Amino acid sequence: MGQILVTGGAGFIGSNFVHFIVENTDHSVTVLDKLTYAGNIESLAGLPTNRVNLVRGDIADPAVVDGLVKTHDVVVHYAAESHNDNSLHDPRPFLDTNIIGTYTLIEAARKHDRRFHHISTDEVYGDLELDDPERFTENTAYNPSSPYSSTKAGSDLLVRAWVRSFGLQATISNCSNNYGPYQHVEKFIPRQITNVIDGVRPKLYGKGENVRDWIHANDHSSAVLAIIEKGRIGETYLIGADGEKNNKDVVELILEHMGQSRDAYDHVVDRPGHDLRYAIDSSKLRAELGWSPEYSNFDAGIKNTIEWYRENEQWWRPQKAQTEAKYTKQGQ
């Protein structure tokens, strides 16, 4: 598995995976990234140039994709349009990237008989009631509720169909909400942290009762590597760290760790169709592949994340003003 092609490797979760590979293996990585607003070349700064190469290109461009897939042993597909709010305002880029981009990649992987791993989300399963004791499993029926999650569900089904119809050497993982370094400030946790750094009160959608199952990006990375190395072809693995927290508790924890009153936040208009609760059962991954999370304590993970944003203001500062202007326009 010496040569790995990582799509979306300049984005949040993808760049964390690239760092993890460099720090924990001897593999070399080529990052294929379109470098839209969500991709940041600075997320790869400091990595050894003899092991990490960046190619700027579109995963929906067959000419770019074919040549790269041909010269690599494994394709790890992180690239996606992934922000729910953006999908509600303009769904088309989500179709272009998540559906057509995935199709282009799996066609190349099929042509060149390359190992393929597809990164997906628990949002394809819809949501659970707040008082429901159940959690998502690999057998949960798909029930997406937004343009984002529906296009990710579509991309999952494409990969499954290519495995069955064409023998694609692929696996799929559906992960819960990630947090950690290099996450764009439009997302929930870094938005709250950077607001507090700027002396601005955090913003909480609705009543803040929506529950997410949080996992540190490093733990997601270690799980993906385990699946690539040991996972069974054609299988789906759910990745989670038993990190269920509602949004209100997360904001209050951030405020507490940053020396503020736990009630120093404002409520803003809720997102249309806002999913209530996500919860992952990752027992298949743990039992079959022997994986376990390092950041099983969400409190410790949040402390680590707060310190990263405090120490790396030069990374997130250029994004901040434009992001907040967009949210202000939306009343959020």
Side-chain angles (χ1 to χ4, degrees):
M1 197 180 68
Q3 301 289 330
I4 306 176
L5 177 63
V6 179
T7 72
F12 163 45
I13 308 177
S15 64
N16 274 278
F17 180 72
V18 174
H19 281 269
F20 187 86
I21 289 295
V22 169
E23 293 166 8
N24 294 278
T25 77
D26 296 325
H27 307 313
S28 296
V29 176
T30 297
V31 170
L32 173 59
D33 201 296
K34 195 175 179 179
L35 293 179
T36 64
Y37 81 96
N40 189 340
I41 194 170
E42 293 302 316
S43 299
L44 303 173
L47 291 172
T49 56
N50 64 327
R51 293 184 60 197
V52 179
N53 178 45
L54 172 64
V55 175
R56 183 169 187 170
D58 189 344
I59 61 169
D61 183 342
V64 171
V65 166
D66 188 80
L68 288 172
V69 171
K70 181 179 180 179
T71 57
H72 289 78
D73 304 303
V74 180
V75 181
V76 186
H77 178 30
Y78 282 92
E81 290 284 347
S82 65
H83 192 44
N84 263 310
D85 288 338
N86 293 346
S87 80
L88 294 167
H89 288 279
D90 183 12
R92 180 54 192 260
F94 292 75
L95 293 163
D96 293 337
T97 297
N98 299 351
I99 299 294
I100 300 303
T102 299
Y103 161 75
T104 304
L105 286 163
I106 58 177
E107 275 290 87
R110 172 168 80 104
K111 175 182 176 182
H112 298 293
D113 194 25
R114 295 297 186 256
R115 175 76 167 86
F116 188 89
H117 182 69
H118 179 62
I119 306 294
S120 191
T121 171
D122 59 353
E123 295 190 42
V124 300
Y125 301 114
D127 61 348
L128 301 163
E129 295 296 329
L130 295 178
D131 58 355
D132 189 341
E134 294 300 314
R135 296 189 291 172
F136 299 138
T137 74
E138 288 80 4
N139 296 317
T140 301
Y142 278 24
N143 186 30
S145 58
S146 72
Y148 161 55
S149 56
S150 63
T151 55
K152 287 300 292 182
S155 68
D156 291 8
L157 296 177
L158 286 174
V159 175
R160 290 184 182 182
W162 260 240
V163 169
R164 179 166 178 173
S165 297
F166 304 118
L168 182 69
Q169 298 297 298
T171 44
I172 299 172
S173 57
N174 297 79
C175 191
S176 54
N177 284 57
N178 281 232
Y179 70 99
Y182 304 111
Q183 188 172 26
H184 195 286
V185 294
E186 71 181 3
K187 298 298 180 115
F188 178 63
I189 286 178
R191 187 185 184 202
Q192 314 315 322
I193 293 171
T194 54
N195 274 349
V196 175
I197 290 172
D198 281 350
V200 177
R201 290 167 65 92
K203 307 295 191 296
L204 186 64
Y205 281 158
K207 296 180 180 179
E209 295 176 343
N210 307 74
V211 173
R212 299 295 179 259
D213 193 347
W214 295 101
I215 183 171
H216 195 281
N218 276 5
D219 288 331
H220 189 179
S221 297
S222 67
V224 169
L225 183 59
I227 294 168
I228 294 169
E229 292 179 338
K230 299 181 285 186
R232 290 181 289 139
I233 297 300
E235 291 295 312
T236 293
Y237 296 89
L238 267 59
I239 304 173
D242 299 327
E244 283 189 64
K245 297 282 183 184
N246 71 38
N247 291 345
K248 179 175 178 290
D249 288 343
V250 172
V251 167
E252 291 178 353
L253 183 62
I254 289 169
L255 284 164
E256 180 179 309
H257 282 315
M258 299 185 75
Q260 304 290 314
S261 170
R262 288 177 66 93
D263 61 358
Y265 58 86
D266 297 320
H267 294 271
V268 295
V269 62
D270 205 353
R271 171 191 295 154
H274 199 174
D275 286 347
L276 292 176
R277 173 175 167 258
Y278 307 145
I280 286 281
D281 180 349
S282 59
S283 56
K284 175 180 174 180
L285 172 68
R286 299 183 190 220
E288 284 193 12
L289 307 185
W291 174 84
S292 62
E294 176 186 355
Y295 288 94
S296 56
N297 184 318
F298 181 72
D299 186 82
I302 281 292
K303 286 182 181 179
N304 171 279
T305 303
I306 289 170
E307 288 309 306
W308 189 89
Y309 281 91
R310 279 177 164 158
E311 293 170 2
N312 291 274
E313 185 169 337
Q314 78 285 352
W315 181 89
W316 59 264
R317 178 60 63 189
Q319 314 163 0
K320 185 62 176 174
Q322 184 177 1
T323 299
E324 290 305 319
K326 179 186 70 175
Y327 277 122
T328 298
K329 185 177 181 180
Q330 297 170 5
Q332 297 172 328

